Amino acid sequence: MAARPPPSAAEAYRPNKYVSLPAELDPATYDVSPEKRRAEAERLAIRARLKRQYQLQLNHPNPPAVIEDPALARWAYARTQNIYPTFRPTPKTSFLGAAFAIGPLLFWIAAFKIDR
């Protein structure tokens, strides 16, 4: 019968009674269900396929004029086109909107009135 391998550092670790257990060693964070592991593996496979596709386009001998990076396209969309669903009017944004809309008009009216 083969001898059992020595325990790893994480298995041999025992928490001190004066110090709480670090999150990295908490079984609730690393002991996940098979479904969650399967979902993480699937996400990792999708990410790897997208990365491989981008690398193939980038290192192709005759590259296309524009190399489409899906992550960059999603980021640009979220940054420019999708701002209103998450915008919340607050007193600060209302004041800034009024200042930038009405402020220049008042400035030029005052400048032309004083210039007369």
Side-chain angles (χ1 to χ4, degrees), residues 108-116:
W108 287 114
I109 288 171
F112 288 135
K113 285 285 188 181
I114 293 171
D115 192 36
R116 284 190 191 174

Side-chain angles (χ1 to χ4, degrees), residues 43-95:
R43 282 193 296 270
L44 189 64
I46 291 170
R47 194 176 307 127
R49 274 198 312 271
L50 287 172
K51 184 176 179 180
R52 178 166 162 48
Q53 177 187 358
Y54 179 72
Q55 290 293 331
L56 285 173
Q57 287 178 1
L58 191 64
N59 297 318
H60 195 273
N62 299 320
V66 176
I67 296 176
E68 185 70 27
D69 184 3
L72 189 60
R74 284 193 305 271
W75 179 82
Y77 173 76
R79 181 126 164 98
T80 58
Q81 303 297 320
N82 199 21
I83 57 172
Y84 293 111
T86 58
F87 174 75
R88 289 183 181 87
T90 62
K92 180 182 177 182
T93 56
S94 302
F95 171 74

